[in-house]
Amino acid sequence: MNLIVVGAVVAALIALRFLKPNALAWTAATWVALYVAFRWGIEPPLPASIVNMFMGIVTIALLAFVSADSERLRSAKSNIVNFLVRKKYTVPLLIVLVALPLLVAFKIYVDMSRSPQPPVTGRTIHPPPPATISFKGKTVDLGAVENPFREIEETDPEVFAAHVENGKRVYHQNCVFCHGDHMEGDGIFAHGFDPIPANFQDATTIAMLQESYLFWRIAKGAPGLPMESTPWASAMPAWEKFLTEDEIWDVIIFLYDYTGHRPRAKEELH
Amino acid sequence: MTSGARTTERRLLILGGVSLAATLVLLVATEAFGFTPQDASQPEYRAMPVIGSRVAMWVVAQLHLMFAAFVLAVPMFALIIEIIGYVTKDKRYDDLAYEFTKLLSVSFSFTATLGALLTFMLIVLYPRLAGYMVKIFSWTFFPYVLLFFLEAIFLYSYYYGWGKFSPKVHIALGVGLNIVGTAIMFIADAWLTFMNTPNGISETGELVSMWDAVNNFIWMPINVHRIIANVAFGGSVAAAYGAYKFLGAKNDRERAHYDWMGYIGNFIAISALLPLPFAGYWLGKEIYAYSQSLGITLMGGTFSWLFIIQAVLIGNLFLAANYYLWVSMERIEGAERYRKFIKYLLASIAVCFLVWATPHSLVASVEESRAMGGSHHPVLGVLGVMSAKNTAVNILILTTYISFLLYRRGNKEATVSWARTGNIIQFSIFAAVIIFVVFLGVYGYFVEARVRIGLSVPQVLSVLFAMIAVTIIDIFLFKNAKIRGEIRWGDMPARAQYALFFIAITFAWTMGLMGYVRAGMRQHWHVYGVMADTSPDAFTPTLGFASNVISITVLIFFTFIAFVFWLAGLSGKKTVSETVEEAP
């Protein structure tokens, strides 16, 4: 969070309370203050799509605020009318009339001066898994399959630790280059990918998934992604060609062990 | 009612009845002559010219569903209002219930006709699927049609018998209408939920147990969700009718009556909207439990963006509902005292709206993604998951309830000796529940997913507790309250009526969206995991295309509804109660 910007916005909003501007000026000032907070007050910066959506909601809320009270609405409307017709506002009105198209032109100039960008689209982050997959000649039921080593986590911690260690080896031999030393999706190859590799430290990735899902993703990689929601544009290899079944389960154990997340448990049917 | 309107209604009834009878004959013939997938002579699919089979089925199914929802919901609250009128001996409630019921008869005929059209199209365009569904559910069609005829009998007796039967007999007819209507919906729900979570069949898709096929994994969650959603939707359309009549009212008496009708319709819609998200969560949980694949497709995968649109729509619904209450407070003398709270309520709604609409995975350019360290923002990312959403929706519901509470208190002043203590207790309940809900929301980030989902239950229960406890206290607090001024029914700005239109349209749009998700999550399956979709349409359309189809469907629905409103207006010659100016 950028404390200087946030502090300035809060100070401006407090000042508004004391200055007691008219309804229209208060609404406009609040809108600008919130835009500044969303655009520059949060670090790392919010994507433009989110800032636009937030400002859409803020705009609707402020319009509701102005029009929920007939007296306030009348006041806001009379402010606009006064600004447009009163002689004393002629200069500010001219400034606004000139500034508005200039601002639009400036925005267009900024947008057009940028280097070409790939189109921004909403990506589906969790592709839906199939019911079953074929793994080295056998059928794996993803709805039923469990990590075979998970059950020894409590009953035989030493053997389990050996599986974690083996998973660590597999990870550092194969996965670390993209997913990074700390599993944050920032390995040495990561900069070359769009989208960038998954960040396993994020509480909203592997922590929300069952181990069978990870098994499918690791085993089948990008070539095994479903037809829906394409293009996936994933560079993930199909690791079934390079790893054994046990190695995949071991690396899954290591991912959860290292990040401290727990795999999503299976739901009970009612 | 004018004789022209009566004739049109009867024609529509006959059309609906004939369509339904023809459907039954076709269904029986389909079964009797064995039009099953094994028939080599039968094509698997037929193409609908221009728009394609899928879009045609989609639009007709959604239109049928919207009218059915309306026809099932209106009798529920019409009956309750009628009973209130009967118990309190207040004729205004009877007038209002009748006014609601007037919208039913034409809508019922539309529902039947669209249902028949849907069935014809299924048989003609998707004969393989139709054959399979008939094979599994053939014996449910007979009680369905029987119930449908019973519903027609109950509905028309209820409507045309208004004021002609004794009140008790009339109320009994209303009860019968509701029971039969609900049973019809339960049967139809069995068919469509079976397609999502098939049960009671062998590995080759042969029927093993009819009851298990009916009572499949999401049958009851859908039943519950639909009953609540229907009431919300029906209430909103009825409120839109009140708004439509208000805007065209010729005198103050009509304005007062239709203002009151709009208020009651909106009250019903919002009351039903409050528990709806929780019924939705239950449904989602059961889908995930049935199949991780379906669950992820729904909430985290292909359709996840659709839920962001849904969040925006529902956020707007809450905002519009509160807005209507705030503007409504202007017609209550004495409610000025509470206007200063509106900005805080609005701030609460705006913040909850922002949280609810924040996506889990953000739409970002490569540079933006790199700056964030992935598709999840380190600060905003926490708002994209269940814990934050549940917390936001619970506080949104509480805020809406507080708006209603202030509205209710508008012109009242407590006279009981413990008024101050009562207010403090109410405030403490709200504060404690908000702290509890936020605490559970934050706690949810530190436990595994299954536990996190379970936390929504205490959150919901605490909010329900707050609403019930505060309401009970409020009833006693304002017993024998001093009335500071009148409620000036009809003294409402037009923009409040447009808010009611907005609510009805947004409800319809949300229904269309959710209907698409429910059917679309099967993706390339007609019956999930049992019968694959091998038609040229076996792909999931883009969100933009789906949104366009849903928007056009909503437009067609409201064109039909405008006709219903117009026709209901023709029959609206029944004199409004003389005492309506004193409506509560």
Side-chain angles (χ1 to χ4, degrees):
Chain A
M1 195 165 282
N2 189 329
L3 289 177
I4 297 172
V5 174
V6 173
V9 166
V10 171
L13 290 174
I14 291 170
L16 274 179
R17 271 195 74 81
F18 292 104
L19 290 172
K20 296 191 188 304
N22 63 51
L24 194 63
W26 184 91
T27 307
T30 306
W31 192 92
V32 172
L34 290 173
Y35 178 75
V36 170
F38 291 140
R39 183 78 178 76
W40 293 285
I42 298 172
E43 288 289 342
L46 297 181
S49 64
I50 291 297
V51 175
N52 291 341
M53 188 180 78
F54 280 8
M55 288 316 296
I57 293 171
V58 165
T59 306
I60 293 170
L62 288 174
L63 286 174
F65 173 72
V66 172
S67 62
D69 185 323
S70 293
E71 189 51 47
R72 192 181 298 122
L73 182 62
R74 258 192 298 278
S75 159
K77 282 198 284 194
S78 71
N79 292 149
I80 296 172
V81 172
N82 287 341
F83 188 72
L84 292 175
V85 300
R86 287 251 176 118
K87 246 186 175 171
K88 68 173 182 176
Y89 294 122
T90 307
V91 176
L93 181 61
L94 281 173
I95 293 171
V96 168
L97 287 176
V98 174
L100 271 179
L102 277 180
L103 273 174
V104 174
F106 179 70
K107 173 83 172 73
I108 292 169
Y109 171 76
V110 169
D111 287 348
M112 301 315 284
S113 314
R114 284 202 193 117
S115 56
Q117 299 273 325
V120 176
T121 52
R123 276 191 65 233
T124 297
I125 300 300
H126 299 311
T132 59
I133 57 168
S134 163
F135 183 84
K136 295 184 192 289
K138 74 170 184 179
T139 302
V140 178
D141 181 351
L142 292 177
V145 69
E146 305 266 1
N147 189 331
F149 309 124
R150 184 59 67 186
E151 61 183 7
I152 60 169
E153 187 174 7
E154 288 179 7
T155 56
D156 197 344
E158 280 184 24
V159 176
F160 185 76
H163 283 286
V164 173
E165 198 56 35
N166 190 42
K168 183 179 178 181
R169 176 190 64 77
V170 173
Y171 183 84
H172 285 286
Q173 282 179 353
N174 303 285
C175 318
V176 71
F177 310 105
C178 297
H179 290 285
D181 292 343
H182 302 291
M183 301 189 183
E184 291 174 329
D186 56 353
I188 54 171
F189 294 162
H191 70 282
F193 299 133
D194 173 21
I196 56 178
N199 173 359
F200 301 138
Q201 294 287 359
D202 188 327
T204 59
T205 56
I206 59 171
M208 301 187 74
L209 300 166
Q210 294 170 2
E211 286 181 290
S212 59
Y213 186 97
L214 271 71
F215 184 86
W216 166 59
R217 285 290 66 247
I218 295 168
K220 296 294 177 184
L225 283 163
M227 289 187 294
E228 296 82 16
S229 304
T230 51
W232 290 102
S234 167
M236 177 88 169
W239 290 101
E240 63 180 342
K241 293 173 182 162
F242 311 102
L243 301 176
T244 65
E245 184 176 351
D246 284 359
E247 283 177 324
I248 294 178
W249 288 122
D250 283 348
V251 82
I252 291 171
I253 284 177
F254 176 62
L255 294 183
Y256 284 105
D257 184 78
Y258 186 82
T259 56
H261 298 313
R262 299 295 302 169
R264 183 177 192 141
K266 291 204 186 305
E267 315 282 335
E268 285 168 17
L269 268 178
H270 297 290
Chain B
M1 182 191 289
T2 61
S3 62
R6 227 179 246 278
T7 311
T8 311
E9 277 190 9
R10 281 181 185 152
R11 279 180 188 157
L12 283 166
L13 171 64
I14 291 164
L15 179 65
V18 169
S19 306
L20 195 74
T23 309
L24 174 66
V25 171
L26 258 174
L27 284 170
V28 173
T30 309
E31 170 71 353
F33 296 106
F35 288 157
T36 58
Q38 288 76 31
D39 288 330
S41 58
Q42 273 287 95
E44 291 193 353
Y45 302 100
R46 293 188 185 91
M48 171 67 97
V50 187
I51 58 171
S53 301
R54 172 169 56 187
V55 172
M57 283 294 291
W58 184 354
V59 172
V60 172
Q62 192 57 54
L63 285 172
H64 171 62
L65 197 81
M66 285 172 174
F67 270 105
F70 184 63
V71 166
L72 291 177
V74 172
M76 288 186 193
F77 53 78
L79 179 66
I80 292 169
I81 293 169
E82 187 192 1
I83 292 171
I84 292 171
Y86 174 67
V87 172
T88 60
K89 310 287 179 210
D90 190 337
K91 195 173 175 302
R92 292 167 301 164
Y93 288 100
D94 195 68
D95 287 337
L96 187 66
Y98 180 75
E99 191 93 31
F100 282 132
T101 311
K102 270 196 324 197
L103 300 169
L104 276 181
S105 56
V106 183
S107 306
F108 181 74
S109 304
F110 270 117
T111 312
T113 311
L114 285 164
L117 182 60
L118 176 65
T119 315
F120 293 150
M121 285 171 65
L122 184 69
I123 293 167
V124 173
L125 301 177
Y126 293 86
R128 184 170 66 115
L129 172 63
Y132 182 69
M133 293 301 283
V134 167
K135 197 169 74 174
I136 300 293
F137 286 109
S138 54
W139 290 105
T140 63
F141 296 138
F142 296 101
Y144 181 82
V145 173
L146 179 68
L147 286 168
F148 204 96
F149 278 116
L150 277 176
E151 190 183 25
I153 292 165
F154 274 123
L155 192 145
Y156 286 96
S157 310
Y158 186 66
Y159 176 48
Y160 288 113
W162 209 290
K164 296 181 182 71
F165 294 116
S166 79
K168 282 181 184 168
V169 171
H170 194 257
I171 286 171
L173 285 172
V175 171
L177 173 61
N178 277 294
I179 291 172
V180 168
T182 307
I184 286 175
M185 188 189 75
F186 276 32
I187 294 177
D189 284 352
W191 307 334
L192 66 98
T193 53
F194 173 83
M195 291 168 73
N196 278 68
T197 57
N199 194 32
I201 51 173
S202 66
E203 283 187 3
T204 55
E206 300 297 321
L207 182 66
V208 175
S209 161
M210 166 72 80
W211 170 242
D212 286 344
V214 169
N215 185 27
N216 61 71
F217 302 97
I218 61 167
W219 181 54
M220 201 42 77
I222 282 268
N223 287 335
V224 172
H225 192 268
R226 278 198 164 170
I227 287 175
I228 301 171
N230 288 353
V231 172
F233 177 66
S236 75
V237 174
Y241 176 72
Y244 161 80
K245 297 291 281 183
F246 177 93
L247 293 171
K250 300 275 190 301
N251 53 52
D252 287 347
R253 201 171 63 176
E254 276 187 18
R255 251 187 297 281
H257 179 71
Y258 290 112
D259 182 16
W260 187 47
M261 185 180 187
Y263 167 75
I264 295 285
N266 187 53
F267 175 76
I268 292 162
I270 302 309
S271 302
L273 175 66
L274 298 186
L276 198 53
F278 309 120
Y281 281 141
W282 178 36
L283 174 59
K285 185 171 178 286
E286 292 300 316
I287 290 170
Y288 204 104
Y290 174 75
S291 160
Q292 178 188 217
S293 181
L294 278 182
I296 289 177
T297 301
L298 187 71
M299 297 301 293
T302 316
F303 292 105
S304 55
W305 283 103
L306 210 137
F307 279 89
I308 297 302
I309 302 179
Q310 186 222 29
V312 170
L313 288 174
I314 294 180
N316 273 308
L317 270 179
F318 273 107
L319 188 57
N322 279 276
Y323 179 81
Y324 178 79
L325 284 174
W326 300 332
V327 177
S328 300
M329 283 165 77
E330 289 191 359
R331 68 175 168 219
I332 304 176
E333 287 173 22
E336 314 79 52
R337 296 168 291 164
Y338 298 119
R339 300 201 66 78
K340 59 180 179 250
F341 297 116
I342 289 176
K343 55 179 173 290
Y344 303 111
L345 296 170
L346 179 63
S348 166
I349 289 170
V351 170
C352 292
F353 192 170
L354 289 174
V355 172
W356 206 3
T358 300
H360 179 201
S361 310
L362 308 182
V363 177
S365 66
V366 180
E367 277 77 20
E368 288 170 335
S369 290
R370 291 221 168 97
M372 291 190 294
S375 57
H376 305 129
H377 192 280
V379 179
L380 224 58
V382 294
L383 304 182
V385 292
M386 195 83 164
S387 289
K389 310 288 185 203
N390 272 346
T391 307
V393 78
N394 277 295
I395 294 179
L396 206 50
I397 287 168
L398 267 184
T399 309
T400 306
Y401 174 74
I402 293 170
S403 284
F404 174 71
L405 204 67
L406 295 181
Y407 175 89
R408 188 180 173 278
R409 288 176 166 207
N411 63 341
K412 297 188 183 84
E413 195 171 309
T415 53
V416 291
S417 57
W418 50 277
R420 188 177 155 75
T421 315
N423 277 320
I424 292 171
I425 292 171
Q426 285 180 316
F427 181 81
S428 307
I429 290 172
F430 279 129
V433 167
I434 287 170
I435 291 168
F436 182 65
V437 166
V438 173
F439 167 76
L440 287 182
V442 175
Y443 177 64
Y445 291 99
F446 301 96
V447 291
E448 65 167 297
R450 198 166 60 164
V451 179
R452 180 164 56 240
I453 293 168
L455 292 178
S456 62
V457 177
Q459 280 185 322
V460 173
L461 291 178
S462 63
V463 168
L464 287 176
F465 161 76
M467 293 199 291
I468 292 169
V470 169
T471 304
I472 291 170
I473 294 171
D474 221 55
I475 289 169
F476 288 106
L477 195 61
F478 288 94
K479 204 174 178 185
N480 302 321
K482 182 183 159 194
I483 302 298
R484 292 173 71 114
E486 283 184 6
I487 301 178
R488 299 183 301 271
W489 290 102
D491 186 11
M492 277 283 272
R495 63 182 184 280
Q497 309 305 320
Y498 291 109
L500 294 181
F501 288 137
F502 177 84
I503 289 171
I505 291 166
T506 311
F507 262 122
W509 221 86
T510 312
M511 267 180 79
L513 205 64
M514 292 299 97
Y516 167 59
V517 175
R518 207 250 334 125
M521 72 175 159
R522 296 192 307 267
Q523 300 197 317
H524 48 273
W525 294 96
H526 288 313
V527 180
Y528 188 69
V530 176
M531 179 181 280
D533 180 355
T534 54
S535 74
D537 289 325
F539 63 92
T540 303
T542 62
L543 196 50
F545 179 80
S547 302
N548 287 339
V549 173
I550 294 161
S551 302
I552 290 166
T553 309
V554 170
L555 206 61
I556 297 170
F557 173 73
F558 276 98
T559 308
F560 284 163
I561 276 290
F563 176 66
V564 172
F565 284 3
W566 172 74
L567 208 59
L570 287 184
S571 66
K573 306 301 176 196
K574 191 174 183 295
T575 313
V576 169
S577 173
E578 294 297 322
T579 52
V580 76
E581 291 86 344
E582 294 159 23

